[in-house]
Amino acid sequence: MSTDAGEAGWRAGLIAEMVAEVRQQQIAYDRFHDAVAAYLGVNRTDLRCLDILDLTGRRTAGELAAEMGMSTGAVTALLDRVEKAGYVRRVRDPGDRRRVLVELTEQARQRGWDIYQPFTELTGPTFTRFTDEQLATVRDFLQVGNDFYAVQTARIEALPRSTDR
């Protein structure tokens, strides 16, 4: 067996291991987010909305609907739920009083801090084993994965549903 074939086999095995680890991480993420949603008293879709608002700031209901891949009616119902729970508020856009924006409340930020504050403390020590170059590679890998999932999600959303057949 040539060295090239051996290296190709090793690389294929490494990629297979990496894919398996990504799948395991997704399972761990799902379980974690199930626990967070239960702690907050919301469902996973509501939690995803709160996460988007935390990452991006104020959004209109239409912008949230587009980012979440949901109808505006479904997002309105979602916002009604999380507003009732005290996690978001609707405010007038100071630049255009006709527009309504959705933003996180202080309660949402505090409850989120209760969950994610340990991440802040543990991130530094956890990642000290990696060089800056390795961290940049991991960041790049995650960005490539996010782009990959965005393309695959759009592809799957365009497929006919089992009820459409």
Side-chain angles (χ1 to χ4, degrees), residues 81-100:
R81 284 191 307 272
V82 292
E83 185 175 44
K84 184 177 178 182
Y87 296 130
V88 301
R89 67 179 148 255
R90 293 171 168 113
V91 297
R92 294 275 176 210
D93 183 340
D96 181 352
R97 303 279 303 152
R98 295 168 296 177
R99 260 175 40 129
V100 175

Side-chain angles (χ1 to χ4, degrees), residues 118-156:
F119 283 63
T120 304
E121 291 177 4
L122 297 172
T123 300
T126 299
F127 293 130
T128 56
R129 65 185 264 196
F130 299 106
T131 66
D132 290 349
E133 183 178 278
Q134 289 171 323
L135 288 173
T137 299
V138 171
R139 181 208 53 218
D140 293 348
F141 171 79
L142 293 171
Q143 289 171 340
V144 166
N146 290 338
D147 293 344
F148 175 85
Y149 275 109
V151 168
Q152 295 308 310
T153 299
R155 178 186 62 81
I156 293 166

Side-chain angles (χ1 to χ4, degrees), residues 37-116:
Y39 169 74
L40 295 175
V42 299
N43 66 44
R44 288 287 302 277
T45 304
D46 297 349
L47 182 62
R48 189 168 77 233
C49 176
L50 297 175
D51 207 18
I52 289 169
L53 289 171
D54 187 46
L55 284 169
T56 63
R58 292 177 172 172
R59 289 281 182 264
T60 65
E63 289 168 337
L64 283 169
E67 289 180 60
M68 296 182 70
M70 297 173 67
S71 71
T72 54
V75 167
T76 297
L78 179 158
L79 292 175
D80 289 345
R81 284 191 307 272
V82 292
E83 185 175 44
K84 184 177 178 182
Y87 296 130
V88 301
R89 67 179 148 255
R90 293 171 168 113
V91 297
R92 294 275 176 210
D93 183 340
D96 181 352
R97 303 279 303 152
R98 295 168 296 177
R99 260 175 40 129
V100 175
L101 299 171
V102 180
E103 66 182 13
L104 292 179
T105 63
E106 187 54 38
Q107 175 184 334
R109 294 192 185 289
Q110 183 56 53
R111 305 266 335 255
W113 183 248
D114 294 343
I115 294 164
Y116 293 106

Side-chain angles (χ1 to χ4, degrees), residues 13-27:
L14 183 60
I15 290 171
E17 289 175 16
M18 190 174 68
V19 168
E21 288 299 325
V22 167
R23 291 178 67 193
Q24 287 291 343
Q25 188 172 56
Q26 288 171 331
I27 292 166

